[in-house]
Amino acid sequence: MRTISKDRLISEMERLVVEAATVLDDKVVACLRNGQGQEPGERARHILGEILENQAIARTTSIPICQDTGVAVVFVELGRDLHLDFDLTEALNEGVRRGYQNGYLRKSVVRHPLDRVNTKDNTPAVIHLSLVPGDRLRIRFAPKGAGSENMSRLAMLTPADGIEGIVRFVLETVKLAGGKACPPIILGIGIGGNFEKCALIAKEALFREVDDRAENPIDRALEERLFEEVNKLGIGPMGLSGVTTCLAVKVNSAACHIASLPVAVNIQCHAARHKETVL
Amino acid sequence: MRNLLLPLSESVRLSLRAGDEVTLSGDLYTGRDAAHKLMVQALEKGEPLPFPLNGETIYYTGPTPAKPGQIIGSCGPTSSYRMDPYSPILMKHGLKVMIGKGPRSEAFRRSLVENRAVYLDVTGGIGALLSQRVKAMELIAYPWLESEAIYRLRIENFPAIVAYDSAGNDVFTF
Ligand code: SF4
């Protein structure tokens, strides 16, 4: 049976953490450039210019793109033919700990929401594990800042609300977020599932490539419609008006109860950092 | 573009109009949620503040740690609305300039107008760029808060937009 060492996993996790904080994905950069080209307003172009210049500086100096280096969110797919002789959660957290410490990243996790004592190493990470065929381990990592996460919402709609209800809720969420979520944003939208499944698939939608499209034609059509309607709101870069409010909309769907229509909107800011690896 | 010297003089502060694009140079203090809470608690107990608020500037940021040889790490603004419950109390005690990102509450706006203060908006998520405009950093108070402690920064050509002017006009669409 194939195996991998604990040290290798820890050092890979550490590398993902440090790289994600300083190197913005080329495809996200391309979307920002494209947005800048389409903005009629000088202020919006100027703000997108600052964002583009910032990621270039971060890339060359290894200073984090944003000071909010987030909560560590990790999606792990474990091949069922891979044998691990160590505690996976513990090893992932150790990689996160080393990444945030050795990478000089901000530690933004408190141990309890009300006593608010900082854990000082940014652990625990939020880890989602699934078992898949094969003998590989796929790790997808994103540091999720609070600015956009705090503006995310979930609603338990009814089947009668239908697609119009979903669109209304998404637009309302984006308007409430306004400039607070550091637009241009990317929307991760979950429809269906139950209360927690819906939030989870919305989060996972944010891990999709910024230029891909949903496979399901219903989801794909919803992505296109929302992309247009969100960008018609006029919120613009940093909420100071413009046509680039969102860079992409990602819809993930799941089966649900006959009486339910959950919808979750997870907002990602323009610092759309994520990295993945397969071991 | 106008380059403004911090702390702002009263005449400059009152001349600013929502939408003005400016650059900032001079000294300011950092502070976010935890430091605001501690300052307001100190005022309520009649204890002295870590620095005199009179005419001063607070920038809402919690930077990443500086690497060896650097002055500061990534240091962009955090969302200002979380400071809305505290700002009116600090303005009552002399605070005149606040810098952060995003819109504020109506209660904040009223207090801002009463105190003829201003609120400036800096683009969020550009902390690497902004780190290069910081020329000095000194710890002032609450060291246990680490990134959230109060620091004095000397900045040069820090890009900002006048988001709420002293008359209460603002630039936000939403
Ligand atoms: S919302 Fe994103 S870009 Fe804005 S401050 Fe938070 S992490 Fe940074």
Side-chain angles (χ1 to χ4, degrees):
Chain A
M1 216 177 215
R2 189 171 176 265
T3 184
I4 51 173
S5 76
K6 185 177 179 183
D7 285 349
R8 172 138 185 257
L9 186 137
I10 291 173
S11 66
E12 275 297 292
M13 190 65 232
E14 177 179 352
R15 182 180 65 82
L16 294 182
V17 167
V18 175
E19 276 180 19
T22 50
V23 181
L24 195 63
D25 186 51
D26 287 337
K27 287 180 179 171
V28 176
V29 176
C31 285
L32 288 164
R33 272 219 183 88
N34 186 33
Q36 195 189 28
Q38 283 171 1
E39 277 295 349
E42 200 179 312
R43 178 178 294 148
R45 277 202 305 276
H46 174 74
I47 292 171
L48 289 168
E50 288 180 323
I51 293 170
L52 285 162
E53 188 187 344
N54 180 69
Q55 67 78 31
I57 292 172
R59 200 176 281 252
T60 51
T61 59
S62 296
I63 296 171
I65 295 162
C66 181
Q67 75 290 339
D68 188 350
T69 47
V71 165
V73 182
V74 193
F75 279 87
V76 186
E77 287 163 29
L78 175 63
R80 62 172 177 251
D81 296 324
L82 180 70
H83 175 71
L84 300 179
D85 64 356
F86 55 85
D87 186 310
L88 179 60
T89 303
E90 189 196 299
L92 290 167
N93 274 314
E94 182 57 27
V96 166
R97 182 175 292 122
R98 289 189 197 173
Y100 277 81
Q101 270 162 356
N102 300 339
Y104 292 83
L105 308 183
R106 198 179 79 188
K107 288 75 176 175
S108 313
V109 175
V110 293
R111 68 177 183 188
H112 185 280
L114 293 175
D115 80 11
R116 306 207 75 80
V117 176
N118 198 301
T119 64
K120 299 203 186 267
D121 61 7
N122 223 57
T123 67
V126 177
I127 299 168
H128 306 289
L129 176 65
S130 55
L131 281 177
V132 297
D135 61 1
R136 302 277 148 177
L137 182 73
R138 181 177 181 217
I139 306 173
R140 292 181 292 164
F141 166 74
K144 192 70 175 69
S148 52
E149 193 76 356
N150 282 354
M151 295 294 119
S152 302
R153 286 161 91 222
L154 186 145
M156 302 303 285
L157 304 181
T158 67
D161 291 320
I163 193 158
E164 297 309 319
I166 293 173
V167 171
R168 222 178 301 125
F169 181 70
V170 173
L171 294 179
E172 184 185 277
T173 302
V174 173
K175 277 193 263 186
L176 282 171
K180 292 174 189 152
C182 285
I185 54 178
I186 297 172
L187 291 168
I189 294 172
I191 54 172
N194 61 355
F195 188 77
E196 83 277 9
K197 175 80 179 177
C198 190
L200 186 61
I201 61 177
K203 173 73 75 203
E204 201 169 8
L206 290 176
F207 282 70
R208 285 171 42 194
E209 292 287 328
V210 73
D211 61 350
D212 79 351
R213 303 166 124 224
E215 271 168 36
N216 182 309
I218 302 174
D219 301 347
R220 196 159 60 229
L222 186 55
E223 287 180 351
E224 282 161 15
R225 175 165 171 201
L226 285 170
F227 180 79
E228 267 190 29
E229 298 212 14
V230 166
N231 281 327
K232 269 196 234 146
L233 292 174
I235 295 170
M238 294 313 293
L240 296 175
S241 102
V243 298
T244 324
T245 300
C246 76
L247 300 175
V249 179
K250 306 282 159 193
V251 175
N252 280 5
S253 57
C256 66
H257 190 280
I258 48 172
S260 293
L261 177 53
V263 50
V265 185
N266 198 188
I267 303 183
Q268 169 64 57
C269 57
H270 65 75
R273 300 153 286 183
H274 54 88
K275 280 271 171 279
E276 68 169 89
T277 191
V278 177
L279 301 179
Chain B
M1 202 179 297
R2 245 170 117 186
N3 186 33
L4 309 178
L5 213 61
L6 295 176
L8 284 186
S9 70
E10 185 177 6
S11 61
V12 169
R13 173 164 40 87
L14 298 181
S15 75
L16 295 175
R17 292 291 166 265
D20 289 354
E21 288 176 18
V22 298
T23 55
L24 307 168
S25 299
D27 288 355
L28 53 69
Y29 295 88
T30 69
R32 40 177 289 155
D33 312 53
H36 273 73
K37 193 171 174 188
L38 289 172
M39 282 193 285
V40 165
Q41 280 171 353
L43 286 170
E44 279 164 358
K45 286 191 229 146
E47 289 168 3
L49 287 179
F51 64 96
L53 282 175
N54 206 8
E56 277 303 344
T57 309
I58 295 183
Y59 174 38
Y60 308 142
T61 188
T64 60
K67 290 181 190 166
Q70 289 176 341
I71 294 166
I72 194 171
S74 193
C75 57
T78 194
S79 294
S80 305
Y81 73 94
R82 295 196 317 275
M83 269 44 84
D84 287 349
Y86 307 114
S87 300
I89 303 163
L90 300 185
M91 283 190 266
K92 216 167 79 195
H93 287 83
L95 178 68
K96 291 297 183 197
V97 183
M98 289 143 284
I99 308 173
K101 72 170 171 86
R104 316 288 308 247
S105 67
E106 283 312 307
F108 171 88
R109 190 199 305 270
R110 276 194 299 277
S111 165
L112 177 111
V113 173
E114 268 164 35
N115 293 288
R116 325 251 15 221
V118 291
Y119 165 58
L120 311 177
D121 186 79
V122 172
T123 299
I126 62 162
L129 183 156
L130 295 171
S131 74
Q132 310 209 316
R133 314 280 171 100
V134 176
K135 302 301 164 188
M137 177 180 190
E138 183 193 349
L139 176 67
I140 298 296
Y142 315 138
W144 64 91
L145 293 178
E146 299 194 359
S147 168
E148 292 196 75
I150 293 181
Y151 297 90
R152 181 165 44 226
L153 304 186
R154 169 147 302 161
I155 59 173
E156 226 174 79
N157 294 320
F158 217 71
I161 294 174
V162 179
Y164 285 55
D165 62 31
S166 56
N169 305 304
D170 80 90
V171 284
F172 294 100
T173 352
F174 285 87

